[in-house]
Structures are given as structure tokens and as C-alpha cells.
Amino acid sequence: MEKVRFGLVGCGGMGTRHLHGLRELAQTPFGNVELVAVCDLRPQHAELAAAEAERLLGRRPAVYTDLEAMRHGEPDLAAVDVVTDPSTHHTVVCQALELGLHVVVEKPMAITVRACRQMLEMARRKGLLLSVAENFRRDPSARLVHHLVGQGAIGAPYMGLFHSVSPGNTIFITPWRHHKERGGALLDMGVHFTHMIRYQLGQIAEVHASARIVEPVRVKPKQAVWSYEFYRAQYQEMVEEVQATAEDTSLAMFRMASGATVSWMVGLGGHGSCHRELILGDRGSIEGFGTRGGRVSLQRVGQEEVSQEALLAQTPDFALDPLTAHLFPTGVTAGDSAVDLKLIAFELHELAAAISDKGRVEVDAEWGLKDVAALYAIFESSVAGRPVSMAEVESGEVCAYQAEIDAALGIA
Ligand SMILES: NC(=O)c1ccc[n+]([C@@H]2O[C@H](COP(=O)([O-])OP(=O)(O)OC[C@H]3O[C@@H](n4cnc5c(N)ncnc54)[C@H](O)[C@@H]3O)[C@@H](O)[C@H]2O)c1
């Protein structure tokens, strides 16, 4: 199989995990990506990634600190995997598209709705693929929930609950996740959740919300979150304290286009903890939206709860795509320590296949923009003190909260 030549742009924590994702892919019969180059503004990050790639993939990619130089140095390059921090996505992605490269960009698609729109329009103008690496949806549990809801297993969904609140005042992975104009923790994490709400329950019509900073000072955690060498090095140089400018706690009510309502409580701070995902329908309920590495179950009216394993056995018309089935032979990712890496493998394979077959990607720029808009609708509603419609936020008509970020980053 002719492999599609990729470059990795952004060799930080998640960039390192993408290298491990490439190894997962290379170990399957579906390997269709060849990593030829890595690029990071910080040469030591790019060098570390090149060494890691050589160890994992058996070939050392070329090292660059500038995307344009990478393009000229690698004339056969077809695509870039952009894993830089969110405030840079629009600049890096638009430059890559301008240079004629297809792109897969990590979530959130961009730092604001306006930045997303610049990317979407550039991809359209250039006729190139722009895929958003939203990994949660690729989890087999998400596929199963989507199938069950679509087949009417719980009747018509009328309500949902998405609660994910973890206490504490430590720095969440990186200091930039506490700065509003760099991409706060709620954007970083919450955009997965707005995506999952939309994937399982359809379009959001209106959002009424409140968001706040509960922990104004974030402190260095006692240890690094991941064991990779990059994260250990990043931990060593982490500042002791960060003054947070990004909200860490949010409460919202989403009114879906279908008429269903979703209760949202998402936060990373304070003193309480609360985790529950539930979809309620007029003939039953599903526990879990199907997030990465999660477990789901179904309860029909008057019947016992059915586990994910039993559901898979009882749902013969549900099938995973061949790569996902190969990566997760049991159809259950809960307890699989490599789930994150395998889902990355899927995303990179998908873009390479779409390039080869002149096909489409599942999570395109339209999806990415709407996920970011749904998340910002929370902040916009909080600032406006009223419910906001998604149409207002997606069009940019309501943007008081994001205007400050756009101004700081020069997003016109
Ligand atoms: N899908 C997931 O589960 C998941 C998990 C973690 C992070 N992410 C996403 O991945 C992205 C990166 O996050 P991270 O934690 O790796 O951040 P990070 O700060 O660890 O790494 C970002 C890297 O990008 C580099 N960089 C910045 N601007 C650049 C540019 N113009 N050109 C080249 N390199 C540049 C930085 O030097 C740094 O090495 C974010 O969008 C984040 O939300 C996704």
C-alpha cells in the first residue's frame, strides 16, 4: 500500500502521544501513514519527538522549526498533523493549507469561532481536507450509543445529563490551560463534551449558562500526569503558580433542536466532585454518552439494565468499521490503557485514506466550528446574562466574550 506522507507540527505532550498513535497504526495491517518530518518552534521539542519517532517507528523523521521550511524540504509531503496549542491552530492550519497540504488538527478546532471560520473558508478555497481530531466520537462505546439512539432503543430522547466536575487547584496539564486567550481548561476539555452531545442528540438550538473562576490561583501538581519523557521534562520546567484568567466551572442548559434539554455541569476546580452521563428517552435510558475509554449500558422501561458486552451480543445489526474492530476486538475500551493512542491511530488513518481515495473525513471543519461555538455559547450566555441561540454564536453576531481573545491574537 502506498503510504501518505505526513509531517507532525507541534511536538508537545499530545504531539508525543500522536507518535505513539502512529506506532499503534503501524502495528495493524491498515498502516497507511509515513511520518517524514516533525516541526516545533522549540528545537528541543522537535528533536525529542524525532528521537521518539525513531524508537517507535524505526525511522528518524527530518526535524524542522518552521512549517514553510518543512514544506520546501519535503516536496512529497501530503498532509500535516497539527498538534500545537489552540491559540496557534488558525495560524498554523491556514499556513499549511496555503502551502497546499491537507490537515488534521487537534481539538478544539481553534481558539474562537472567528478563527474556526478563517480555517473553514481557507480549506474550502483551497479544496483541501481539514479534519478535526475529535477522538471521543471514535470510541466503540460512542458508536454503540449513536446506533442505539438512532435505532430508537430508548424511544425519543427528551433529556440528557452531562456532568463532569473534578475538584482541586492544581495546574491542568499545562499553564496555558488557565489563560483565556491561550485556550482555557473548559475549552480544552468541554469541546469533547459539546461534540458528544451533538453526536448523540443532534443540533443544539439555544444555551443558557453561567461560568466562573473558582480557583484564581493554580499551583504546580505534585507529579507529572503522564510518564512519557516529554511530560517529565515539561513538569521539571513548569512554573510554581499561575494566575488563572480562564473560567474553570460552568453550569448550562442546552435546548436541542429536537426539543430535548441537556443539563451540563463541567468544571475543574473547587471542592466537589460530580460525574454522570445519562440520556433519557420516552422508552428507556442510556447510561453514558460513550466517551473515550468509557462504559455504557441500556435500560429499557420495565427491563433489567443491559451491560455494554451484552448489548454488543444482542445488537447484530451494529458493526464497527474494520480498523476500529481490529484495534478493539471486544468492542469495549474501558480498561484498555492504549485507548487514547488507538483512537489517534484511527484519526490519522482516516485522513490518509481520505487523501488516497479522494474521500471525506467524518469530523470536518463544519463540525469543529459548531463544537467550539457550542462551548463558547456557555461563556457568551454567561456574559450576556441571557440565553443565546447557536445561530447568534455561530454567525459571530454574539461574541462579547470572544472579542477580547480575537483582539489579543489579532484575529480579524
Ligand atoms: N484529543 C485529546 O484527547 C487531547 C489531549 C491533550 C491535548 N489535546 C490537544 O492537543 C493540542 C496540543 O496540546 P498539548 O497538551 O500537546 O500542548 P503542549 O503545550 O504540550 O504542546 C504544544 C507544542 O506546540 C508547539 N508549537 C506552538 N506553536 C507552534 C508553531 N507555530 N509551530 C510549531 N510548533 C508550535 C509548542 O512549542 C509545543 O511544543 C491542543 O489543541 C490540545 O487541546 C488533545
Side-chain angles (χ1 to χ4, degrees):
M1 184 191 310
E2 181 76 17
K3 295 198 174 172
V4 180
R5 290 166 167 253
F6 270 55
L8 172 69
V9 186
C11 304
M14 191 56 172
T16 305
R17 281 152 65 184
H18 277 227
L19 297 174
H20 286 255
L22 278 174
R23 200 233 334 232
E24 291 291 335
L25 179 59
Q27 287 172 342
T28 72
F30 299 86
N32 60 352
V33 174
E34 184 179 357
L35 183 73
V36 296
V38 295
C39 174
D40 198 293
L41 288 180
R42 294 181 66 179
Q44 67 274 36
H45 289 192
E47 290 290 348
L48 192 58
E52 189 78 336
E54 186 174 12
R55 188 178 70 78
L56 295 168
L57 304 166
R59 179 191 156 165
R60 186 180 170 83
V63 170
Y64 295 91
T65 53
D66 176 76
L67 177 54
E68 197 166 347
M70 178 165 99
R71 178 71 182 118
H72 292 127
E74 308 296 329
D76 295 338
L77 201 64
V80 282
D81 178 18
V82 177
V83 198
T84 60
D85 39 294
S87 63
T88 66
H89 285 182
H90 60 291
T91 315
V92 176
V93 169
C94 287
Q95 188 187 9
L97 293 165
E98 192 67 70
L99 291 166
L101 298 164
H102 298 286
V103 175
V104 52
V105 61
E106 258 301 340
K107 48 53 60 179
M109 177 175 163
I111 187 74
T112 59
V113 172
R114 191 178 279 206
C116 287
R117 192 159 300 287
Q118 286 185 355
M119 294 157 66
L120 183 149
E121 284 169 4
M122 175 72 87
R124 278 197 189 143
R125 212 164 40 246
K126 292 283 169 185
L128 291 161
L129 293 165
L130 174 52
S131 171
V132 180
E134 176 44 67
N135 47 2
F136 279 32
R137 171 202 187 109
R138 330 293 186 137
D139 191 285
S141 61
R143 303 302 197 190
L144 181 60
V145 171
H146 189 72
H147 177 84
L148 292 170
V149 171
Q151 295 297 305
I154 57 167
Y158 60 86
M159 240 177 224
L161 192 143
F162 210 120
H163 292 180
S164 172
V165 177
S166 301
N169 66 342
T170 52
I171 293 171
F172 178 51
I173 313 174
T174 52
W176 60 253
R177 286 178 167 86
H178 300 289
H179 295 304
K180 177 179 171 176
E181 76 290 353
R182 299 282 313 277
L186 286 187
L187 174 67
D188 188 60
M189 192 177 68
V191 81
H192 286 301
F193 306 159
T194 55
H195 183 91
M196 293 306 288
I197 290 170
R198 296 180 55 244
Y199 182 48
Q200 306 301 11
L201 296 175
Q203 297 298 341
I204 299 166
E206 188 182 83
V207 179
H208 196 183
S210 161
R212 65 187 66 210
I213 298 177
V214 174
E215 302 290 354
V217 179
R218 291 278 169 169
V219 299
K220 185 172 178 171
K222 294 212 165 20
Q223 59 189 41
V225 276
W226 292 72
S227 60
Y228 299 133
E229 194 180 337
F230 176 86
Y231 282 108
R232 283 204 302 273
Q234 186 187 53
Y235 179 77
Q236 293 306 324
E237 60 178 53
M238 190 182 282
V239 292
E240 291 298 325
E241 225 175 74
V242 177
Q243 297 291 323
T245 58
E247 289 73 3
D248 54 29
T249 301
S250 60
L251 178 76
M253 205 269 276
F254 290 78
R255 194 168 57 72
M256 309 302 293
S258 67
T261 46
V262 178
S263 156
W264 162 289
M265 198 193 276
V266 174
L268 267 176
H271 306 287
S273 156
C274 161
H275 292 272
R276 183 105 194 253
E277 292 167 33
L278 186 66
I279 303 174
L280 303 164
D282 58 13
R283 289 189 4 233
S285 62
I286 295 176
E287 192 83 41
F289 274 66
T291 49
R292 173 183 52 190
R295 183 175 280 286
V296 297
S297 61
L298 168 72
Q299 179 128 40
R300 286 198 181 89
V301 175
Q303 294 181 15
E304 291 288 300
E305 186 176 357
V306 187
S307 70
Q308 188 171 340
E309 288 81 353
L311 279 169
L312 287 167
Q314 291 170 17
T315 319
D317 58 337
F318 170 71
L320 293 166
D321 64 90
L323 175 56
T324 305
H326 181 90
L327 292 167
F328 304 106
T330 64
V332 178
T333 59
D336 183 340
S337 59
V339 56
D340 178 45
L341 312 177
K342 292 178 181 178
L343 297 180
I344 293 168
F346 180 92
E347 292 164 341
L348 299 176
H349 174 271
E350 188 206 30
L351 179 65
I355 293 169
S356 297
D357 305 343
K358 302 204 180 335
R360 298 166 66 92
V361 291
E362 186 181 354
V363 185
D364 60 12
E366 194 88 40
W367 266 97
L369 183 149
K370 283 174 182 274
D371 295 341
V372 168
L375 197 282
Y376 274 114
I378 292 170
F379 298 129
E380 297 297 354
S381 167
S382 190
V383 166
R386 65 167 176 89
V388 295
S389 75
M390 282 315 305
E392 288 174 311
V393 181
E394 285 168 13
S395 68
E397 195 185 324
V398 168
C399 65
Y401 181 92
Q402 296 163 84
E404 205 180 296
I405 306 172
D406 286 331
L409 297 176
I411 302 170

